[in-house]
Amino acid sequence: MKAKVERDERAAGWLTRCNRPLRGSLSRRLLVLTILFVMLAEVLIFVPSVANFRLNWLEQRLAAAQIASLALEARPDNMVSPALREELLRNAQVYAVALHRDDARRLVLSEDMPPMVDTSFDLRGAMALELIMDAFETVFAGDGRIILVTGEPRFGAGESIEIVFDETPLRKAMLQYGKNIFLLSLVISVITASLVYLVLHFVLVRPMRRLTGNMVAFRHNPEDARRVIAPSTRADEIGVAERELSLMQKEIRATLTQKAHLAALGAAVSKINHDLRNILASAQLISDRIGAIDDPTVQHLAPRLFASIDRAIELCSKSLRFGRAEEPAPRRRQVELAALADEVAEAAWSESDPIRWKNDVPAGLLVDADPDQLFRILLNLARNAAQALTEQAGTGRTDGEIGLSALRAGDHVHIDIWDNGPGLPPRAREHLFEPFAGSGRADGTGLGLAIAAELTRAHGGHIELLRSDASGTLFRICIPDDADTPLDCGEAERLAGQSA
């Protein structure tokens, strides 16, 4: 009782967490992962964009320095006043400008005492990875560094142009650009993540939460029909999962209902069993007295009556074991199948029924099986066939026939039992060997085939329906020998076919 209360409390807590979308683990992880992935994509774009910003900034400085140098070339003596020179250098934001032209390097503009160069960069033919590494170097270099930059002059004005300037303005511009790009990326990430989250939340997360919540609720009380999920009309995987879950829940409810009915039936049978055994005991005493009558007919019928009553008493004694969902283990021994088949025919129908019996079992064929359980297997199948033929006899048919044949295939014995009745209805074939579902008659229970299949499996074999149509029905029972490593029944059939 305590464990059930704890399970109910855990289920209630889980359902409460599911009703908080942003605090649900799946929703939270989806939102965080979406933001991280969008940010990662932005970083992959951010680094090259910063390097490209630096390249464009330097190219603008080179262009400004080239324009400043044109003022000197406009003068015949390539000389300007100190004031104009300072203004040109200040507007170009450089300390010195040098041009390479005609294999000669000429200092075009320069301060009187330009500062010492700390490092140099050559933009000519620079690769993308090199530009990215130079951009990182600029960001982490600090303020006040003097650099020399070499590039190609515009409009073919020379072979190269060199400028010397303070890198601090470039570094500050890159930091500001990076800050703007980061904030923009963050906004884009949040907006994208929110949109993706909302779409996935409504398309995937909410349906999944509905599925999981329904499973928890159904586990809490599977007998409640309201807990069965109502599947949506979606055609995707979620819709398939909802429909399959609904079918599974309905099958579980049907199984639980069936088990409850079986439990109630078992309780009723256990009560009936006690009184029925007393009645059979009285019938056994009366049959003993009848057996003492000196009459040929009585003496002929008495052994069959005694055997039927003994089997009925034994069946009552073992009926409660079926309620424990386990048949006793077979007590195997060599059984002569032909004689056992005739006993089955005597017990399955009366002599007045219009049924012919055909025993095609080879003489001397032995089966390694429990004789009582094998008798029950064959009796259930023969009785079903006899009932179907008896019902047909009511319509005027008098050629009903039931037959049994057998052969040995390696370490197995194949037993075929057939009839020329109307065949099993479709519902019985769909639920074959299922109790209370595989009966071919309106008032049947289907227990006969279910018990026959269970007893056959206990012997390590199997039972299957080979044919059922308007010409009749054929069941095959495969019983392996009691060997340490018996062959599979299908393998035995294959070997028998090869030997034939």
Side-chain angles (χ1 to χ4, degrees):
M1 183 66 181
K2 183 178 179 181
K4 184 178 184 300
V5 172
E6 292 178 353
R7 289 198 304 269
D8 295 346
E9 290 177 351
R10 288 197 300 268
W14 193 92
L15 291 174
T16 302
R17 291 192 297 272
C18 284
N19 292 327
R20 297 195 292 263
L22 289 179
R23 297 186 62 184
S25 60
L26 185 58
S27 300
R28 183 174 64 250
R29 292 176 183 176
L30 177 62
L31 180 61
V32 172
L33 288 176
T34 305
I35 293 177
L36 289 178
F37 288 149
V38 174
M39 288 295 295
L40 178 60
E42 291 290 345
V43 168
L44 296 177
I45 301 173
F46 170 77
V47 174
S49 65
V50 171
N52 187 63
F53 174 81
R54 174 180 175 274
L55 177 62
N56 291 333
W57 196 95
L58 292 176
E59 289 178 346
Q60 291 176 5
R61 296 283 74 74
L62 289 171
Q66 183 179 354
I67 293 173
S69 66
L70 292 177
L72 277 76
E73 294 188 4
R75 299 294 298 272
D77 54 358
N78 293 333
M79 296 294 292
V80 294
S81 64
L84 180 58
R85 182 188 61 188
E86 292 294 332
E87 185 177 354
L88 291 174
L89 292 173
R90 186 168 58 252
N91 289 334
Q93 299 181 10
V94 297
Y95 294 126
V97 180
L99 281 174
H100 286 253
R101 185 182 296 171
D102 299 330
D103 295 330
R105 179 180 183 274
R106 184 167 62 91
L107 185 62
V108 180
L109 282 174
S110 177
E111 292 185 348
D112 293 335
M113 294 293 295
M116 296 295 295
V117 175
D118 294 319
T119 186
S120 62
F121 300 98
D122 191 347
L123 304 182
R124 296 172 299 177
M127 304 299 291
L129 182 59
E130 183 180 355
L131 293 174
I132 291 174
M133 299 303 296
D134 293 343
F136 277 109
E137 183 180 349
T138 299
V139 171
F140 295 105
D143 294 338
R145 190 171 71 159
I146 306 301
I147 63 174
L148 184 148
V149 177
T150 303
E152 295 180 357
R154 303 177 66 183
F155 311 116
E159 297 174 2
S160 66
I161 181 172
E162 297 177 350
I163 58 175
V164 177
F165 62 95
D166 187 353
E167 194 182 34
T168 301
L170 171 60
R171 181 173 179 273
K172 290 182 178 180
M174 291 177 61
L175 291 176
Q176 184 62 39
Y177 176 80
K179 178 181 178 182
N180 294 337
I181 291 296
F182 175 77
L183 293 177
L184 179 61
S185 301
L186 184 61
V187 172
I188 293 175
S189 299
V190 172
I191 294 175
T192 305
S194 300
L195 293 177
V196 172
Y197 166 76
L198 290 176
V199 172
L200 293 181
H201 176 75
F202 285 102
V203 174
L204 294 178
V205 177
R206 283 187 61 182
M208 287 301 300
R209 183 178 294 119
R210 177 171 176 261
L211 283 173
T212 52
N214 178 266
M215 287 189 284
V216 173
F218 183 81
R219 182 191 63 81
H220 179 61
N221 187 9
E223 290 84 4
D224 189 353
R226 297 172 299 176
R227 305 294 176 93
V228 176
I229 190 172
S232 64
T233 58
R234 296 178 57 159
D236 55 6
E237 289 78 1
I238 297 294
V240 174
E242 290 176 345
R243 289 188 289 274
E244 292 299 324
L245 177 61
S246 177
L247 292 175
M248 183 185 68
Q249 290 175 337
K250 290 177 182 178
E251 291 176 359
I252 291 176
R253 287 196 67 255
T255 302
L256 291 176
T257 302
Q258 183 180 10
K259 296 300 183 184
H261 293 170
L262 285 174
L265 179 62
V269 169
S270 63
K271 297 177 182 178
I272 296 173
N273 179 65
H274 180 269
D275 295 333
L276 183 60
R277 290 182 63 188
N278 293 333
I279 295 173
L280 290 174
S282 300
Q284 189 177 32
L285 294 175
I286 295 174
S287 65
D288 291 339
R289 297 182 61 183
I290 293 176
I293 299 175
D294 188 12
D295 184 271
T297 303
V298 172
Q299 294 298 322
H300 174 69
L301 297 177
R304 296 173 59 184
L305 177 62
F306 297 158
S308 298
I309 293 178
D310 290 341
R311 287 196 179 97
I313 294 175
E314 180 66 17
L315 182 62
C316 289
S317 300
K318 296 179 179 180
S319 60
L320 293 182
R321 298 178 185 175
F322 182 80
R324 292 197 295 266
E326 182 179 344
E327 287 283 348
R331 297 180 180 179
R332 307 175 73 127
R333 62 182 178 86
Q334 296 295 323
V335 180
E336 187 175 352
L337 184 58
L340 184 67
D342 288 333
E343 293 183 23
V344 170
E346 292 177 357
W349 61 87
S350 65
E351 295 181 352
S352 60
D353 291 332
I355 298 174
R356 295 192 304 273
W357 168 245
K358 189 175 182 181
N359 188 346
D360 291 334
V361 178
L365 179 62
L366 300 178
V367 181
D368 187 32
D370 185 315
D372 291 334
Q373 292 189 3
L374 183 58
F375 179 87
R376 290 173 60 189
I377 294 172
L378 299 177
L379 178 63
N380 284 323
L381 295 174
R383 184 169 291 165
N384 287 345
Q387 290 172 347
L389 292 173
T390 302
E391 291 177 358
Q392 271 205 329
T395 62
R397 179 175 178 177
T398 59
D399 61 342
E401 186 175 33
I402 299 175
L404 191 145
S405 61
L407 60 87
R408 173 166 291 279
D411 293 336
H412 290 65
V413 173
H414 291 171
I415 305 173
D416 292 347
I417 182 168
W418 54 268
D419 64 76
N420 61 351
L424 295 173
R427 182 179 181 278
R429 290 197 295 267
E430 292 173 0
H431 301 277
L432 208 60
F433 309 121
E434 296 181 18
F436 302 101
S439 175
R441 306 190 317 278
D443 58 345
T445 62
L447 284 174
L449 289 177
I451 293 174
E454 181 179 355
L455 294 176
T456 305
R457 287 193 299 269
H459 284 77
H462 73 163
I463 180 173
E464 59 180 331
L465 177 65
L466 296 184
R467 173 177 54 84
S468 183
D469 50 32
S471 63
T473 301
L474 171 61
F475 281 94
R476 170 164 292 177
I477 304 165
C478 177
I479 303 293
D481 293 340
D482 188 14
D484 294 333
T485 55
L487 292 174
D488 178 72
C489 288
E491 179 70 9
E493 293 181 6
R494 187 184 65 82
L495 294 176
Q498 290 180 354
S499 62

